[in-house]
Amino acid sequence: MRQQKRQILTDLLFLIIIVVVLILYRMPSAAVLYPVLLCALAWLVSMGIGGYRTYRRYASLGKILDAVGLDLEQEFLPGAKTAGNGQETDRESCAWELLQEILEGRGENHLEEGDWESHIYREMVKRLLLEQRRRQDIMQMRHQDTVDYYTTWVHQIKTPIAAMGLMLQQQDTEDSRRLSEELQRIEQYVDMVLTYLRLGSRDTDYVFARVDLDHLLHGCIRKYAGQFIRRHLALDYRDMNCQVLTDEKWLAFVVEQVLSNALKYTREGSVSIFLEPPCILCIRDTGIGIAPEDLPRIFEKGYTGYNGRGDRKATGLGLYLCRQICHRLKHTITAESTPGEGTLIRIGLGREVLEVE
């Protein structure tokens, strides 16, 4: 009614003018009264239909407000009603209160006639954007808290892992070597946890520099030297004699993960590491290989394939993390395999080879 007050006043003014004119012409009272009553009745019917349609739109907007959840946070509605123990919000009442608040404009938004719906939609979009930003900030804070917690946890748990490793090094038995291998696997899983969390973060610690590929590979191979010896696997390594532009820490994680998989699924034979032109690092094993139906999906998150289901220890995250890291380092990683013959992993390190001076 407030929005239509100008139209109502205009209609009443026209009706008064007509009545005054009829009276000035000394028309009979019945001739004046009947047209006035008929006009008033038609006007009331028209206003009733318009009011009903307006109410329907008003109610639909209230349902939209209730559906989008603008009333979930009490900051938008200081006087929102609560039910029960104060934990549950009366969503419908909050939606209507918010709709009234928007419609009234709170003294600063003066709505023009017929413009109340567009104003409400604009206000809804604005508040939804504010709510989205607020929730994104909360999610980012929670994610950062999680990353900080696991970062601290990783550093703390590495201390007892290192202590156990030193104690096992003092014994040279078959059991101690097996325990060292399992302890190394635990450390690898701990690093995977931190890597997985950091991949989803906006902040990265990538440090791109010229990295001597032989130096990086020697460190990775030294880490798994015990497993090569215990499994009686031969290592065919060919010197690379090149430098690549990459992040040493993240690329080492990829190489170590590929070597770990090669050792896990190779019972006898050898593991070969060589370089294909122009700058493709190749790691080949003579293990059980990968089934053809699994090969296209081995880099998917959580996919373990036939070998992983048989092993029952695979997480399906190792190669997924390798693919994600290579993507961020602008490298490529592909796989070729034949069941029963082995697997070949190619890591494309880019065509820009930095020659050693």
Side-chain angles (χ1 to χ4, degrees), residues 223-275:
K223 184 175 182 179
Y224 291 96
Q227 296 191 35
F228 275 100
I229 296 172
R230 195 182 69 81
R231 296 171 183 266
H232 304 289
L233 297 177
L235 174 63
D236 180 14
Y237 180 82
R238 308 169 191 176
D239 290 336
M240 311 297 173
N241 295 322
C242 76
Q243 292 185 340
V244 294
L245 185 63
T246 187
D247 182 282
E248 184 174 5
K249 182 185 73 173
W250 290 92
L251 181 59
F253 176 88
V254 175
V255 174
E256 290 175 2
Q257 185 62 45
V258 175
L259 282 176
S260 175
N261 288 347
L263 290 169
K264 183 188 301 184
Y265 297 110
T266 303
R267 298 184 178 91
E268 59 181 11
S270 63
V271 176
S272 302
I273 303 175
F274 55 94
L275 192 69

Side-chain angles (χ1 to χ4, degrees), residues 10-291:
T10 302
D11 294 340
L12 290 176
L13 178 61
F14 288 159
L15 184 60
I16 292 173
I17 291 174
I18 293 174
V19 171
V20 170
V21 170
L22 293 177
I23 292 176
L24 290 177
Y25 275 92
R26 297 183 181 183
M27 297 291 293
S29 59
V32 176
L33 183 60
Y34 289 146
V36 170
L37 292 177
L38 290 175
C39 290
L41 180 62
W43 180 79
L44 289 175
V45 171
S46 176
M47 289 297 296
I49 295 174
Y52 176 73
R53 290 177 177 175
T54 302
Y55 175 80
R56 290 288 299 272
R57 296 198 300 271
Y58 192 79
S60 65
L61 288 172
K63 292 179 179 179
I64 292 175
L65 287 172
D66 181 56
V68 299
L70 281 176
D71 57 311
L72 291 178
E73 300 299 334
Q74 296 302 310
E75 61 187 64
F76 287 144
L77 290 172
K81 299 179 181 179
T82 56
N85 57 359
Q87 300 291 330
E88 300 177 359
T89 305
D90 187 349
R91 294 172 58 87
E92 185 176 357
S93 298
C94 290
W96 282 100
E97 290 182 25
L98 179 57
L99 190 57
Q100 291 175 354
E101 174 190 334
I102 296 173
L103 191 60
E104 291 173 0
R106 288 302 183 189
E108 60 183 30
N109 298 320
H110 301 285
L111 305 181
E112 297 180 0
E113 182 178 353
D115 194 40
W116 64 276
E117 282 186 278
S118 61
H119 175 78
I120 289 175
Y121 282 119
R122 289 195 300 269
E123 187 69 17
M124 286 170 55
V125 171
K126 183 177 73 174
R127 297 193 181 207
L128 281 173
L129 289 174
L130 291 174
E131 177 69 6
Q132 181 187 26
R133 292 176 186 173
R134 191 189 67 81
R135 292 180 183 270
Q136 286 178 345
D137 292 340
I138 292 176
M139 292 179 62
Q140 183 65 25
M141 291 175 59
R142 290 177 179 174
H143 176 77
Q144 188 60 45
D145 290 341
T146 304
V147 172
D148 293 340
Y149 170 78
Y150 279 105
T151 301
T152 305
W153 176 80
V154 166
H155 289 298
Q156 290 177 343
I157 203 172
K158 279 188 174 183
T159 301
I161 290 176
M164 286 186 287
L166 290 174
M167 288 187 291
L168 289 173
Q169 286 179 2
Q170 298 176 1
Q171 306 175 14
D172 190 13
T173 62
E174 183 64 21
D175 290 339
S176 65
R177 287 193 289 268
R178 287 181 178 272
L179 287 174
S180 297
E181 183 177 330
E182 294 300 325
L183 192 63
Q184 186 179 24
R185 185 175 298 179
I186 293 175
E187 187 176 8
Q188 180 184 5
Y189 290 154
V190 169
D191 291 335
M192 285 178 61
V193 170
L194 188 58
T195 302
Y196 180 78
L197 289 172
R198 285 180 174 176
L199 282 178
S201 176
R202 297 178 182 178
D203 301 327
T204 60
D205 60 346
Y206 299 137
V207 179
F208 288 91
R210 292 183 297 179
V211 177
D212 184 79
L213 197 55
D214 286 312
H215 176 75
L216 184 146
L217 292 172
H218 289 167
C220 298
I221 294 171
R222 192 179 304 112
K223 184 175 182 179
Y224 291 96
Q227 296 191 35
F228 275 100
I229 296 172
R230 195 182 69 81
R231 296 171 183 266
H232 304 289
L233 297 177
L235 174 63
D236 180 14
Y237 180 82
R238 308 169 191 176
D239 290 336
M240 311 297 173
N241 295 322
C242 76
Q243 292 185 340
V244 294
L245 185 63
T246 187
D247 182 282
E248 184 174 5
K249 182 185 73 173
W250 290 92
L251 181 59
F253 176 88
V254 175
V255 174
E256 290 175 2
Q257 185 62 45
V258 175
L259 282 176
S260 175
N261 288 347
L263 290 169
K264 183 188 301 184
Y265 297 110
T266 303
R267 298 184 178 91
E268 59 181 11
S270 63
V271 176
S272 302
I273 303 175
F274 55 94
L275 192 69
E276 287 185 353
C279 191
I280 301 176
L281 176 63
C282 300
I283 301 176
R284 177 190 288 133
D285 63 65
T286 58
I288 60 177
I290 303 172

